[in-house]
Amino acid sequence: LRISERRGENNGLGCCGWILVIISAFFSILIFPITIFISIKIVKEYERAVIFRLGRITARKAKGPGIFFIIPCTDSFVKVDLRTISFDIPPQEILTKDSVTVSVDGVVYFRVNDPIAAVANVSNADYSTRLLAQTTLRNVLGTKNLSEVLSDREGISQSMQMNLDEATGSWGIKVERVEIKDVKLPQQLQRAMATEAEAAREARAKVIAAEGEMNASRALKEASLVIAESPSALQLRYLQTLSTIAAEKNSTIIFPLPMDIISHFMKE
């Protein structure tokens, strides 16, 4: 049954119930100086009290914060903390969609949104939410590939939050945030991924070197065409090379000779 239907049924205590309540109230007034310390209760700003009278919830809204009264012998109450609670999801061994085993852990932030539902609809809202978070983490990551688990953490967190919030709504729990803390890969898979990344970097380096050689050869070709059009340019280039060698204080200088002169001596 829904919580609203239960609240409607709890309005009537029955004839015997009302007799017990009246008797308890009469004795409370009779020994008032003593029962005042039992009847007055205080809850803090971040707490609410769900009051049970003869086992039934007395009101549609929890009491607090501040002072409230209960009738001794017939009333009891349960305090509910409304502050945001965080807990760590223990590392879960998960098999991804592409058959890779990874260890994933996370953190969940939630708070009690409806104190009456948190008391009446579930025996232990905190513990139940923790167990549900573990199973939800397994279910969500089981539908993802390894690349999606490593790159789309924000999407996984939002999907987990929606699933948890929907499941815990009837418990009076509001899931505020879910975060994936760490994804641990097996050592063999880490080494394989490192080797793959290193091979990809080496391949890119070779391509870049080959492109540099091609660009350099084109530049040399264009330079040779310019020098061929002006014979004096070769002499100027020669003088520039000599000045560069002299600046480095080398003891050996090589003088290039034109092939025409060498061929003339070889004929003789």
Side-chain angles (χ1 to χ4, degrees):
L1 296 177
R2 294 178 300 179
I3 187 64
S4 59
E5 296 176 353
R6 293 181 180 178
R7 291 173 182 171
E9 294 177 357
N10 291 341
N11 292 334
L13 296 177
C15 181
C16 295
W18 280 113
I19 293 174
L20 292 175
V21 170
I22 292 172
I23 293 173
S24 179
F26 173 76
F27 280 105
S28 299
I29 296 173
L30 187 64
I31 54 176
F32 178 73
I34 299 176
T35 57
I36 188 173
F37 299 102
I38 303 176
S39 300
I40 296 178
K41 301 295 180 181
I42 300 175
V43 291
K44 299 178 182 178
E45 180 68 29
Y46 54 84
E47 294 177 335
R48 297 294 184 272
V50 180
I51 300 177
F52 293 87
R53 180 166 295 164
L54 297 177
R56 297 173 178 269
I57 298 176
T58 59
R60 295 177 179 273
K61 185 178 180 181
K63 299 294 184 180
I67 299 175
F68 64 95
F69 297 89
I70 63 172
I71 301 176
C73 302
T74 60
D75 290 0
S76 62
F77 70 96
V78 177
K79 286 184 180 180
V80 179
D81 195 332
L82 300 184
R83 292 177 293 181
T84 299
I85 302 172
S86 63
F87 66 89
D88 291 329
I89 302 176
Q92 304 292 312
E93 294 289 337
I94 299 169
L95 185 65
T96 61
K97 189 176 180 180
D98 50 354
S99 301
V100 178
T101 303
V102 295
S103 178
V104 184
D105 58 352
V107 59
V108 177
Y109 299 87
F110 72 95
R111 60 181 175 85
V112 176
N113 193 30
D114 187 351
I116 295 179
V119 173
N121 291 356
V122 62
S123 61
N124 191 331
D126 180 86
Y127 183 68
S128 300
T129 305
R130 293 173 186 267
L131 293 181
L132 185 61
Q134 297 180 20
T135 57
T136 303
L137 179 63
R138 289 177 174 272
N139 294 336
V140 171
L141 294 183
T143 61
K144 304 290 183 179
N145 296 325
L146 178 61
S147 58
E148 295 175 346
V149 173
L150 296 176
S151 61
D152 191 20
R153 294 191 181 186
E154 184 176 356
I156 294 173
S157 299
Q158 293 178 355
S159 178
M160 283 191 60
Q161 180 182 354
M162 293 177 58
N163 292 339
L164 281 174
D165 198 22
E166 182 180 358
T168 58
S170 60
W171 301 345
I173 300 295
K174 173 63 178 177
V175 178
E176 296 180 339
R177 191 178 184 87
V178 179
E179 292 292 341
I180 302 298
K181 292 175 60 178
D182 190 17
V183 178
K184 296 182 180 179
L185 304 177
Q187 294 294 331
Q188 296 180 352
L189 182 59
Q190 292 182 15
R191 288 194 294 268
M193 294 177 66
T195 303
E196 180 182 0
E198 184 178 356
R201 287 194 297 268
E202 290 180 356
R204 287 196 299 268
K206 291 180 179 179
V207 170
I208 293 173
E211 291 178 353
E213 291 290 338
M214 182 176 61
N215 294 333
S217 62
R218 290 177 179 175
L220 290 174
K221 178 182 178 182
E222 293 176 358
S224 63
L225 294 176
V226 173
I227 293 175
E229 294 176 357
S230 178
S232 60
L234 180 62
Q235 186 67 22
L236 293 175
R237 181 59 180 163
Y238 169 67
L239 294 176
Q240 183 181 4
T241 304
L242 289 179
S243 63
T244 303
I245 295 174
E248 296 179 358
K249 298 181 181 180
N250 292 327
S251 59
T252 303
I253 298 177
I254 300 174
F255 292 92
L257 296 176
M259 293 299 296
D260 298 338
I261 300 176
I262 297 176
S263 61
H264 177 71
F265 286 105
M266 291 178 64
K267 290 179 180 180
E268 295 180 353

